[in-house]
Amino acid sequence: MSIKLKYKIKRPDFSLDIDITIPSQGITGIFGHSGCGKTTLLRAIAGLEAEKTGTIKIADMLWQDDNFFLEPHKRPIGYVFQEPSLFAHLNIQKNIEYGLKRISTDETKISLDEAIELLGIQHLLKRQPHQLSGGEQQRVAIARALASSPKLLLMDEPLSALDIKRKQEIMPYLESLHDELKIPIIYVSHSPGEIARLADHLLIMEEGKITAAGNVTDLFSRLDLPIAHSDKASAIIEAIVTEHDLEFNLTYLDFPGGRFTVSHKALEINHSVRLRVIARDVSITLEHQTHTSILNIFPAIIEEIIPENESQFMIRLSLSGTPLLCRLTKKSASLLQLSVGKAVFAQVKSVALLS
Amino acid sequence: MLSETDLSALIITLKLASVTTILLILVGTPIAWWLARTQWRFKFILEALVALPLILPPTVLGFYLLVALGPNGPIGGIMQSLGGQSLAFTFSGLVIGSMIYSMPFVIQPLQTAFSNIGQRPFEVAATLRASPIDRFFSIAVPLARPGFLTAIVLGFAHTVGEFGVVLMIGGNIPGETQVLSIAIYDHVEVLEYSQAHWLSGGLLLVSFILLIGVYAYNRRFSLYKNS
């Protein structure tokens, strides 16, 4: 089971050249800056672009090749646009039912009630679109896409038109899509934060081409990719809840490179979590510091050092195989005589729990 | 108050305006839809053609129609050779003339309304399994509702108010092709001012009320869309 995308566009001001196969499970993130072609690629998968060539094949369903083109309305997709784009002449319930009514009953995999419940919009059903906030509208748009029981859900920066508060309001719903639905999702974003939280698999796009593909943990820490050089460049670490410390109100999270200590989280033992450690929150010492308030200290090996700008280096550390990024000044690196292969200690000042 | 000929002029006028408007909506909607959506580079030619009756003197339009629909004209000739009658000086002829004369008033508001919807709602509907025809009826028509109302009212009112075209191709046959505007003219010609007042005042009032209704409705609709 996989999704095969081969697509080429050549326009005077824009070109796209994609040839890739992605897994048809979990969330595949497509990351890139605006104008790199990620939206065009998503639209092509939906059949919304004018160039009707290439090869688009979802599992064993052929959607288009050079001699065949399946009309957009015959493709079992759900598409969530950047703006909610609710139908202004229909109330919320009718908006959600729009796609549902147009599929046969034996195609129905997600019921209306399920879609409504998953997005928490029961109380909005009788309202008109213009009476809803942007975040609520986007939740309705997602429910509407789900209610058509898609075999592939395409999401084009569904959070980018919303402010921070609304984003945080929707994020948990997106995470629950990931956990509760078996539908593959392609999620386009230019926000490393959203990708870090949601994606399992990642494609990185630049100027109409895919420059890297792989799992999120690996790609976030690859220093040859732009994502490791953004302001909030960070490592993604998968860990498991192992213990709660009731005396100090802490939770311990184990990963192959050691154990993170974080303030108490109401999570079950053995629950797997995803952590994000921002490169500038990591410092390096040559010896294991004991007189420090920092709890999260791990032995590490320097794997790669590259200059970040005139005064800073970006360093990739390996914590028994788990990558960690560290941004420090060239002066510190010189004082500590850091070099590739050197054994050091990584001190992590703060860590964010993503899920 | 109203004489028998005035009454039949009123009935003919209403009948003409209704038939013209219904036919124009049926014919004009697909044309307006096509004009709003096509990428064809020469569509401006068709747009100019649609707008032509706006600037042409009605008598010019009426004259050409008379020539075309008359027994020696291309259309009238075909009709006669098929065993029918020439369309000049008939109610059918009036309908054809009125349709051409009022065409821009129906097509233009529809085209604007369709264009204003934009591409996005149709793309959304396509991803929700709606076929092109389904999208037209479930998205385009309801979202263009204010445009339809404007088109219907303007098409109707404009047909009620026409003079030159109907005079040219309809003649002025009481009970058959004599419409209200011509009846008013006839009254004035023979100095029957009180009848002229009745008909003119009534026409003025009805037109004003119709337009107030349209503008009030469209204002409400746009408020509801933008808020």
Side-chain angles (χ1 to χ4, degrees), chain A residues 242-286:
Chain A
T242 35
E243 211 181 319
H244 295 293
D245 181 336
L246 298 177
E247 189 191 345
F248 290 107
N249 218 22
L250 297 171
T251 295
Y252 298 119
L253 309 167
D254 280 8
F255 73 104
R259 164 173 286 195
F260 273 105
T261 308
V262 298
S263 52
H264 180 76
K265 299 282 185 305
L267 292 168
E268 281 171 43
I269 301 293
N270 281 334
H271 186 87
S272 65
V273 291
R274 187 177 268 194
L275 306 171
R276 184 180 189 199
V277 179
I278 297 180
R280 61 172 136 78
D281 292 336
V282 176
S283 59
I284 288 178
T285 60
L286 294 181

Side-chain angles (χ1 to χ4, degrees), chain A residues 284-290 297 336 343-347:
Chain A
I284 288 178
T285 60
L286 294 181
E287 279 148 38
H288 193 305
Q289 299 281 314
T290 43
I297 300 177
L336 298 177
V344 295
F345 289 90
Q347 301 196 134

Side-chain angles (χ1 to χ4, degrees), chain A residues 334-351:
Chain A
S334 155
L335 287 174
L336 298 177
Q337 295 180 310
L338 299 183
S339 59
V340 171
K342 190 163 178 140
V344 295
F345 289 90
Q347 301 196 134
V348 177
K349 209 160 62 185
S350 88
V351 52

Side-chain angles (χ1 to χ4, degrees), chain A residues 43 77 83 88-89 98 102, chain B residues 120 123 126 129 134 138 224:
Chain A
R43 290 173 56 84
I77 49 156
E83 312 81 31
H89 63 296
Y98 189 91
R102 287 165 169 79
Chain B
R120 182 50 57 81
E123 292 186 345
R129 313 286 193 285
D134 187 357
S138 67
Y224 142 88

